[in-house]
Amino acid sequence: MKNRMLSKRVYFTVSSLMMLVLFMFQFSGIIRKKYNNFDENKYAVSEKNDLNNNNVFTVLTDEDKVVKSISGYIVYIGDINTKTGNTVYEWCNYTKRNLLVYKTVSQYHRYNEKYPDAVLIDSDYVNIDSDIDTFSLLTDYGINLVFCTLPSYSAISGNQRFEQLCGISPHRESVNASGLKLYSGFLFGGEAWYTKENDPDGKFQNMKLTMPWYNTSNATKTYMSAVVESEDGSKIDNEDQPAVIWRKSHDHAYVFCINGDYIKDISGIGILTAIMSESKDLDIYPVVDSQSVIVNNFPMFSFENDDAVEKYYLRNTSSLLENVIWPDISNLAESTGARFTFMAAPQINYSDNNFVSVREMDYFFRLFSEISSEAGLTTTRDDATSIDEKLTADAGIFSNYLSNYKFTSIIARKDELENVLSSKNSLIDDVNTIVTDSQDYGGTKLFSYVNDNVINVECPVTSDKYTYSDDFRQRCFQTALAYTNIEFNMTGVCNPDDEKELWNEEIKLKSTALTSYMKNSKMFTKCSISQADKRIREFMAADYSYKQNSSYVSLDITGAQDTARFIVRLRTGEVENVSGAVCTKVEKGVYLITAQSKHVEMTIKTE
């Protein structure tokens, strides 16, 4: 066969195509770099609003004012200064209800003037022998009761009237369950099995599994039960398993019971919200609609532990950050749809001779801009450096290389709040959100104003590893507020002193946790911290009322906010013909309403 040479025409055509491809790649990179405003925080402007502590809804607790108010109210039998009382108060605040608190149920007499939405009861403040008549009277009036905790097994056992009130028969004083089952239709996300079948190595199970065993009777509905294995290995039917959360139907009211300490944690707001929805055919309540992920101490711009990084990763810190960690994080952000906020750490040790890498800073802030993320500040530092000293050093770095970037958030320990608030450093002039890291989470509230303009947003869950209890708590937060704020802690990744701390092991745990926690929130909005801040302020400022007339529902919104968001839960039927709002179906019987005016109308299509 004769050798054939390329003709000049073919050679020219091929060369031209190669040059064109090269130009397109080069030109796109140049354009992306030229118009990448990485040194500006676009969220500092687009998400800014003027709402402050003067606009928040205030829970009324004065008896006369509560009875005369047009807002609904809750009666709580207990002490508001206990963990259970704190959850009840915060739940009333979030759901825009007023609150009356009594130490004994016999002190509450004004139910015939204005019915409460429910009477919530801490069993530590109950004498079931003397209070049973009052409980029965309240249910006869059509007032729902919620036992946030139950009296002791010995107090309940043999008290037939109380057993009938709660719809139970005591079976065993204490049982060690192997897991828990959450039934669908109560918390968002559907059915969940927190059992060893899904966790053979026991890595996920950390829920409280020791409890009294109560069997439920007729006219009851169970929302969560324990999973107990029989001693002889035979199967125990679901209806015979120990009840954890359930409802007893009476002629005019419901009695809800919680067998455990779930309301002592702030995640109990989700249980209380689900209970209220279960007590009516239609329930409408305000939500935040925000899903945030806070990446703490990443990236680091000073390579202070290069020797350890070289030892364990066989590469330098810059290569580790850019070529190993960042691809994993960006892929995780894309797969979950999350909009990460990166709390960057220019330095950790301010007394050594390691300087900040300007190239690294430039590299990552360009990446943040490309994926529409946001950067914040952190107080993480060595023990010898004060917060003011750190902020002063960081201000010098950022003013020289990112002078236009407005930082609106900082992550700190809970005990550092006052130091941050009192600082006069110009670096935090634009900060209006202080994130409290999950290690200091006290379990008392999710967000609140710490002065007139700054809010503290807590991270109640960390993505360090997946656990059953945090999965359950996430479902509670989603149900109550369509909200979550997860910390993705990167503090130890670039300072390894053990092979177990290496990134390839860390990312497996973190990605499993984050993916699992966010899988039930696909219909809710993924936010940077500035976007979340705006929605939280709007949520805290909003108040509302709604009316239902057959299939027609009208929702009126008050408050200083421009936008408000609500969950509509239906026992049966579907929402249709919505005006004044955007309606998104979350799951069966659950709809997210984003109001675009102060008056919203909708119709309910019955099945």
Side-chain angles (χ1 to χ4, degrees):
M1 179 182 293
K2 293 183 179 180
N3 292 330
R4 299 187 62 184
M5 298 180 64
L6 289 174
S7 68
K8 290 182 179 180
R9 178 180 295 178
V10 173
Y11 177 79
F12 178 77
T13 303
V14 172
S15 298
S16 298
L17 287 173
M18 291 178 65
M19 290 297 294
L20 178 61
V21 171
L22 177 62
F23 173 78
M24 290 175 63
F25 274 102
Q26 292 287 343
F27 185 72
S28 63
I30 293 170
I31 292 296
R32 188 169 67 249
K33 188 171 184 178
K34 179 176 177 59
Y35 293 99
N36 181 342
N37 298 319
F38 69 95
D39 60 342
E40 297 177 2
N41 183 0
K42 64 180 181 180
Y43 299 112
V45 177
S46 65
E47 303 304 323
K48 185 175 178 58
N49 63 42
D50 297 322
L51 295 175
N52 56 44
N53 195 31
N54 297 320
N55 306 120
V56 300
F57 172 85
T58 302
V59 177
L60 299 178
T61 56
D62 178 80
E63 193 172 50
D64 289 331
K65 291 181 180 179
V66 168
V67 172
K68 294 176 182 178
S69 172
I70 62 172
S71 298
Y73 76 101
I74 291 292
V75 171
Y76 176 58
I77 310 302
D79 185 349
I80 205 67
N81 294 313
T82 63
K83 290 182 178 181
T84 301
N86 172 81
T87 300
V88 170
Y89 181 86
E90 290 301 317
W91 175 68
C92 287
N93 190 23
Y94 296 150
T95 57
K96 319 298 179 180
R97 289 182 169 94
N98 295 320
L99 177 65
L100 294 181
V101 181
Y102 304 95
K103 290 294 179 68
T104 65
V105 70
S106 60
Q107 294 175 338
Y108 175 51
H109 302 292
R110 303 187 68 171
Y111 47 84
N112 54 351
E113 296 180 49
K114 179 184 177 182
Y115 284 8
D117 292 343
V119 174
L120 276 56
I121 303 157
D122 183 343
S123 65
D124 288 343
Y125 296 84
V126 166
N127 183 319
I128 60 176
D129 293 321
S130 59
D131 292 339
I132 188 65
D133 289 334
T134 305
F135 293 147
S136 298
L137 178 65
L138 292 173
T139 57
D140 288 342
Y141 269 93
I143 299 172
N144 298 322
L145 306 182
V146 180
F147 284 92
C148 298
T149 58
L150 286 175
S152 66
Y153 183 91
S154 58
I156 294 175
S157 183
N159 190 317
Q160 292 186 354
R161 291 187 64 192
F162 191 80
E163 291 176 13
Q164 292 172 357
L165 179 76
C166 297
I168 54 174
S169 59
H171 182 75
R172 189 183 301 174
E173 185 169 3
S174 181
V175 64
N176 294 318
S178 61
L180 297 170
K181 179 184 179 181
L182 175 67
Y183 293 86
S184 62
F186 188 62
L187 300 178
F188 292 176
E191 181 181 273
W193 289 81
Y194 300 119
T195 60
K196 64 181 182 181
E197 282 76 16
N198 298 324
D199 179 31
D201 297 327
K203 295 179 180 179
F204 307 149
Q205 185 59 268
N206 62 342
M207 303 184 79
K208 186 177 180 180
L209 299 177
T210 301
M211 67 195 75
W213 186 339
Y214 299 109
N215 290 127
T216 53
S217 60
N218 293 331
T220 59
K221 181 179 181 180
T222 300
Y223 304 108
M224 189 162 77
S225 65
V227 177
V228 175
E229 300 170 350
S230 64
E231 296 178 358
D232 60 4
S234 60
K235 181 181 178 181
I236 300 177
D237 294 334
N238 286 338
E239 58 269 22
D240 294 325
Q241 295 281 8
V244 177
I245 304 174
W246 71 92
R247 180 190 77 190
K248 167 67 176 179
S249 299
H250 292 272
D251 290 339
H252 306 291
Y254 296 117
V255 175
F256 294 88
C257 300
I258 302 167
N259 182 16
D261 295 334
Y262 295 94
I263 307 301
K264 289 185 177 180
D265 184 83
I266 190 63
S267 60
I269 61 174
I271 296 174
L272 295 178
T273 299
I275 282 174
M276 294 304 296
S277 297
E278 278 292 305
S279 67
K280 55 184 76 172
D281 293 331
L282 167 71
D283 192 23
I284 301 177
Y285 57 89
V287 294
V288 179
D289 182 26
S290 170
Q291 317 292 302
S292 301
V293 178
I294 308 299
V295 185
N296 191 13
N297 292 318
F298 181 87
M300 295 181 181
F301 301 135
S302 178
F303 309 144
E304 301 169 355
N305 210 12
D306 249 349
D307 290 342
V309 171
E310 289 273 8
K311 174 183 176 182
Y312 287 103
Y313 292 103
L314 302 179
R315 61 178 70 225
N316 61 31
T317 305
S318 178
S319 176
L320 173 66
L321 294 173
E322 296 177 14
N323 302 319
V324 178
I325 296 178
W326 176 256
D328 287 338
I329 289 182
S330 58
N331 287 337
L332 184 58
E334 183 177 1
S335 65
T336 59
R339 185 162 290 171
F340 289 4
T341 298
F342 295 91
M343 301 304 196
Q347 292 176 274
I348 300 296
N349 190 340
Y350 287 79
S351 58
D352 62 16
N353 294 318
N354 291 292
F355 298 103
V356 168
S357 169
V358 177
R359 192 202 72 82
E360 204 74 6
M361 188 184 304
D362 179 277
Y363 177 83
F364 276 105
F365 270 79
R366 290 183 187 278
L367 290 176
F368 296 163
S369 180
E370 288 181 9
I371 66 171
S372 297
S373 286
E374 181 181 4
L377 302 168
T378 177
T379 61
T380 303
R381 65 204 184 281
D382 60 287
D383 293 337
T385 305
S386 69
I387 288 180
D388 274 332
E389 290 171 336
K390 172 189 167 56
L391 292 175
T392 299
D394 291 353
I397 296 166
F398 287 123
S399 63
N400 285 328
Y401 302 105
L402 288 166
S403 57
N404 294 326
Y405 202 95
K406 292 184 177 181
F407 293 97
T408 64
S409 61
I410 186 170
I411 188 168
R413 297 197 311 266
K414 195 76 171 177
D415 60 4
E416 295 174 335
L417 277 174
E418 289 302 321
N419 297 90
V420 175
L421 290 169
S422 62
S423 176
K424 304 299 182 183
N425 195 289
S426 60
L427 183 61
I428 60 173
D429 283 347
D430 297 299
V431 166
N432 49 37
T433 312
I434 302 177
V435 180
T436 307
D437 82 41
S438 59
Q439 309 236 352
D440 291 313
Y441 179 62
T444 57
K445 57 184 65 179
L446 296 175
F447 40 73
S448 61
Y449 281 92
V450 287
N451 64 22
D452 285 345
N453 298 304
V454 178
I455 62 172
N456 173 212
V457 177
E458 302 199 13
C459 293
V461 172
T462 176
S463 66
D464 286 349
K465 65 177 182 177
Y466 173 81
T467 65
Y468 281 160
S469 64
D470 276 347
D471 184 279
F472 179 78
R473 295 173 78 238
Q474 279 291 101
R475 290 169 181 262
C476 288
F477 298 140
Q478 300 289 5
T479 302
L481 299 171
Y483 172 82
T484 190
N485 190 41
I486 302 173
E487 183 188 5
F488 197 97
N489 196 335
M490 298 287 290
T491 303
V493 172
C494 289
N495 299 285
D497 55 16
D498 191 304
E499 290 188 359
K500 294 180 180 179
E501 295 179 352
L502 297 186
W503 176 245
N504 61 325
E505 296 299 323
E506 287 272 320
I507 187 59
K508 292 177 185 177
L509 297 174
K510 292 179 184 297
S511 60
T512 298
L514 190 62
T515 302
S516 299
Y517 295 152
M518 299 196 75
K519 68 181 179 181
N520 298 318
S521 60
K522 294 179 180 178
M523 304 307 297
F524 300 133
T525 305
K526 310 301 186 293
C527 295
S528 72
I529 194 62
S530 289
Q531 293 174 309
D533 174 281
K534 181 180 180 181
R535 288 168 179 253
I536 290 169
R537 291 172 190 266
E538 291 174 336
F539 169 79
M540 289 195 286
D543 196 3
Y544 74 107
S545 62
Y546 69 91
K547 296 179 182 178
Q548 181 179 12
N549 182 9
S550 185
S551 62
Y552 169 79
V553 178
S554 64
L555 170 65
D556 290 297
I557 305 160
T558 57
Q561 78 293 333
D562 294 326
T563 306
R565 302 157 189 87
F566 298 86
I567 287 292
V568 177
R569 292 193 74 168
L570 301 172
R571 187 173 296 182
T572 59
E574 296 180 350
V575 173
E576 62 178 12
N577 300 328
V578 179
S579 64
V582 175
C583 179
T584 305
K585 186 173 182 179
V586 177
E587 59 184 49
K588 183 178 180 180
V590 179
Y591 298 84
L592 173 65
I593 300 293
T594 303
Q596 298 175 319
S597 70
K598 296 288 188 178
H599 181 75
V600 177
E601 297 179 355
M602 66 192 85
T603 56
I604 308 300
K605 179 183 178 181
T606 57
E607 295 179 345

